[in-house]
Amino acid sequence: MNNIYHLTRKQQQLLDFIIENQDRFPQPPTLDELCFAMGLKSRGSLHKHIQELINAGYIEALNRKQRGVRLTAQYLEQNVSLAEPEQQGTPFVGAIAAGTPIEALENICYMNVPDEIKTDKPCYILQVKGDSMIDDGIFEGDWVIIEQQSHARNGQIVVALIDKTDATLKYIEQYPHETVLVPANKNMSPMRFHPQQVEIQGVLVGQMRSYK
Amino acid sequence: MNNIYHLTRKQQQLLDFIIENQDRFPQPPTLDELCFAMGLKSRGSLHKHIQELINAGYIEALNRKQRGVRLTAQYLEQNVSLAEPEQQGTPFVGAIAAGTPIEALENICYMNVPDEIKTDKPCYILQVKGDSMIDDGIFEGDWVIIEQQSHARNGQIVVALIDKTDATLKYIEQYPHETVLVPANKNMSPMRFHPQQVEIQGVLVGQMRSYK
DNA sequence: AATACTTGTTCTCTTTCTGTTCTTGATATA
DNA sequence: TATATCAAGAACAGAAAGAGAACAAGTATT
């Protein structure tokens, strides 16, 4: 599978198509099916491309076997290794303040957050406005890393959306008949809501601050 | 790829364009596509420039093959190696506590700290023991990112080595006849030293914490 | 097992696309 | 003025791509 083998446009296009649609076919497609799917009228034309992809090592030789168009094992390996380092980082989506909805950034940017302060699951970053969590060492301007999830355990710090309008970062205590959001600020009081009023948008997993 | 070939303005411009827009083309662009993208009307004009870039070693020779304009493998390598100088991350070297020297880790590990909480200059990471900076939101177990330097401005938070034995993280105030290290903890008092006793090992530029 | 059907393979022919070369003229640069 | 740089366009040759026919090997049906 040396890359001295340069694919032509159509060959690349065909390869992309096969890769993207490999799940769509319960079994590997016939040439005719592939033709139809790609808008070609002649198997012969397609076959030439297939042959080149075989030579290039992307798909297995089909040797007259029917429904033989399948990607090479080697290629699949190579492909996952290529696909992995696509991590562009954790999205920094906006600012969160007590009492107002999340201010979304017009253009999301991505930060390279170390694994130590995030999780394997989808995370996003918010910048903190206000000082409702100041006693816990979360200050105005800090970034918080939030794991996206819709439930939480009591005592966790969560991003909570209240009445579908106001987002806030608070400790959460959930009881059958009420949900309490507790700030970490001795000048502020816990807020009590009906459980239906509060929607959890994520759980705090990390925090960071710049002193520059 | 010797630079004895000095590129003309237009050639350089073309090269820059290709480099910047290589993601925009799903496949290497044809001369026509490049013409259109650059606002030219004639392939012939473009071709001469391409030819020079080939001679200069930036672009693969296309030898009548219709596989479009693609950058040389050598050039790409050289380019990424220039752009990303093997950043293995910021070294996490140990823990810092008030009153004892830095506990060095036996094997240093590296973290991928985002640019937002470090600087361009050499930085390292310490884990905080104790609560001498608790009023400033730096808690036990937090990581602090330190820019390595031997001087600081008054009011900055520094890693200070006292009498060449004890390292500590404190605010610093330097006067001609004494240096004061101020904790951010209302239960602790500022400590006063002769300037010779205190050696600055770095300045705080960032902090991060895990809630996992 | 014999049959018809499906599907992969090979071939030729044709059309379209794309890199290459030239010539001409315009504009800048020394 | 002389020179280098650049753009435009025409013309050409080779490459890429598609259509279709004919064949052969596999698969399904009876």
Side-chain angles (χ1 to χ4, degrees), chain A residues 30-31 43-44 47 62-67:
Chain A
T30 66
L31 293 191
R43 267 177 300 176
H47 184 267
L62 10 84
N63 302 325
R64 293 213 165 268
K65 300 281 177 191
Q66 300 186 187
R67 299 187 171 278

Side-chain angles (χ1 to χ4, degrees), chain B residues 141-185:
Chain B
D142 286 8
W143 289 284
V144 286
I145 295 95
I146 308 294
E147 180 184 319
Q148 198 167 5
Q149 56 185 57
S150 55
H151 55 90
R153 294 192 306 277
N154 285 351
Q156 283 188 314
I157 299 175
V158 300
V159 174
L161 185 66
I162 304 167
D163 294 330
K164 297 201 182 299
T165 54
D166 294 350
T168 181
L169 189 70
K170 296 282 187 311
Y171 280 99
I172 193 167
E173 295 288 340
Q174 296 161 298
Y175 305 106
H177 299 298
E178 71 171 359
T179 295
V180 186
L181 298 178
V182 185
N185 183 330

Side-chain angles (χ1 to χ4, degrees), chain B residues 4-167:
Chain B
I4 42 174
Y5 291 95
H6 60 268
L7 302 178
T8 65
R9 221 193 317 276
K10 197 69 189 191
Q11 287 160 12
Q12 186 66 54
Q13 195 178 325
L14 174 61
L15 180 58
D16 291 343
F17 181 88
I18 293 174
I19 292 171
E20 284 170 23
N21 294 287
Q22 46 184 327
D23 303 327
R24 241 185 50 191
F25 300 97
Q27 278 130 29
T30 66
L31 293 189
D32 278 338
E33 288 170 344
L34 262 184
C35 275
F36 180 78
M38 295 199 61
L40 293 178
K41 291 177 184 170
S42 159
R43 267 177 300 178
S45 317
L46 184 73
H47 181 265
K48 222 181 336 181
H49 297 144
I50 296 284
Q51 201 56 48
E52 285 308 307
L53 291 182
I54 293 173
N55 290 339
Y58 292 108
I59 288 182
E60 287 184 19
L62 2 91
N63 302 325
R64 289 205 170 272
K65 302 280 178 190
Q66 308 184 190
R67 59 169 122 81
V69 176
R70 52 183 88 196
L71 293 166
T72 312
Q74 308 158 25
Y75 176 75
L76 282 178
E77 280 174 27
Q78 165 183 306
N79 210 37
V80 293
S81 63
L82 280 178
E84 299 184 29
E86 284 195 37
Q87 42 148 320
Q88 56 183 145
T90 307
F92 173 37
V93 295
I96 182 172
T100 52
I102 291 175
E103 296 172 24
L105 291 177
E106 54 279 18
N107 39 1
I108 292 178
C109 64
Y110 293 85
M111 293 184 180
N112 261 322
V113 172
D115 297 333
E116 285 81 1
I117 59 170
K118 65 186 188 71
T119 65
D120 301 332
K121 309 213 179 65
C123 289
Y124 58 92
I125 300 177
L126 295 172
Q127 192 162 32
V128 175
K129 306 269 182 186
D131 53 4
S132 67
M133 298 300 287
I134 197 170
D135 292 342
D136 245 60
I138 299 174
F139 290 6
E140 166 117 23
D142 286 8
W143 289 284
V144 286
I145 295 95
I146 308 294
E147 180 184 319
Q148 198 167 5
Q149 56 185 57
S150 55
H151 55 90
R153 294 192 306 277
N154 285 351
Q156 283 188 314
I157 299 175
V158 300
V159 174
L161 185 66
I162 304 167
D163 294 330
K164 297 201 182 299
T165 54
D166 294 350

